Amino acid sequence: MAEHRSMQRAALLDAARSLLSEGGTEALTFPALAERTGLARSSVYEYFRSRAAVVEELCEVDFPVWAADVSAAMARADTAEAKVEAYVRQQLELVGDRRHRAVVAISASELDAGAREKIRAAHGGLVAMIVEALGELGHEQPRLAAMLLQGVVDAAVRRIELGAAEDPGSIADAAVSMALRGVRG
């Protein structure tokens, strides 16, 4: 029985990911989850008491996976500069991924404090990794530089998501160049 329940829970989370990546947080409704999974709406409530609870669990499950991808890419890099590049490129590489799109939709939405805290903690882990690399590169304020760098990454993510005129590769190159050389390019 427990195995069946965990399979249904996984199916609900997967449906939530799809709904979020297709239509953002407005698309994530209990009727839609019921329809996607073939469960009765009352069953959906047995697993999650609210949309926020679904979002919170997705954060718990998906953010660490996403952060681990970025972390692994950075670990493979052998210089501080290569780590910064890996940090930027890996995040942009994940843009087409449903998990990542769901995470972006979640980040943009109105969340309760618990979910926001989890996102902050996961993001904090990413930022901590890049702070160290930026420190090695000689930044006087590596923490501030890390925050600004994440802003560049977020802008590049949005640009790719919008299907901008530039191809994703050149958006990534521009973001990396900006990260490594500042605006002097």
Side-chain angles (χ1 to χ4, degrees), residues 145-183:
M147 295 301 183
L148 296 174
L149 171 58
Q150 189 56 47
V152 168
V153 172
D154 293 342
V157 164
R158 278 192 301 277
R159 194 96 189 124
I160 292 170
E161 297 249 305
L162 287 171
E166 313 85 8
D167 71 290
S170 58
I171 294 172
D173 292 345
V176 167
S177 166
M178 196 170 252
L180 292 176
R181 281 174 277 294
V183 288

Side-chain angles (χ1 to χ4, degrees), residues 107-167:
S107 304
S109 70
E110 293 304 305
L111 295 175
D112 66 357
R116 260 203 313 274
E117 202 33 66
K118 291 197 172 80
I119 288 180
R120 246 200 307 277
H123 257 288
L126 278 179
V127 170
M129 292 188 285
I130 202 63
V131 167
E132 193 180 326
L134 291 167
E136 285 172 37
L137 284 175
H139 269 280
E140 281 157 38
Q141 292 181 286
R143 184 133 192 97
L144 173 61
M147 295 301 183
L148 296 174
L149 171 58
Q150 189 56 47
V152 168
V153 172
D154 293 342
V157 164
R158 278 192 301 277
R159 194 96 189 124
I160 292 170
E161 297 249 305
L162 287 171
E166 313 85 8
D167 71 290

Side-chain angles (χ1 to χ4, degrees), residues 39-51:
L39 292 169
R41 203 181 309 183
S42 58
S43 301
V44 178
Y45 283 99
E46 285 174 33
Y47 291 92
F48 299 105
R49 45 183 203 292
S50 64
R51 270 170 30 137

Side-chain angles (χ1 to χ4, degrees), residues 77-124:
D78 44 11
T79 64
E81 202 159 283
K83 281 186 198 313
V84 171
E85 178 159 354
Y87 177 82
V88 173
R89 286 196 190 279
Q90 189 59 37
Q91 286 190 66
L92 297 180
E93 200 115 309
L94 294 167
V95 170
D97 186 281
R98 240 167 15 117
R99 243 175 234 276
H100 179 264
R101 277 214 301 274
V103 160
V104 170
I106 289 168
S107 304
S109 70
E110 293 304 305
L111 295 175
D112 66 357
R116 260 203 313 274
E117 202 33 66
K118 291 197 172 80
I119 288 180
R120 246 200 307 277
H123 257 288

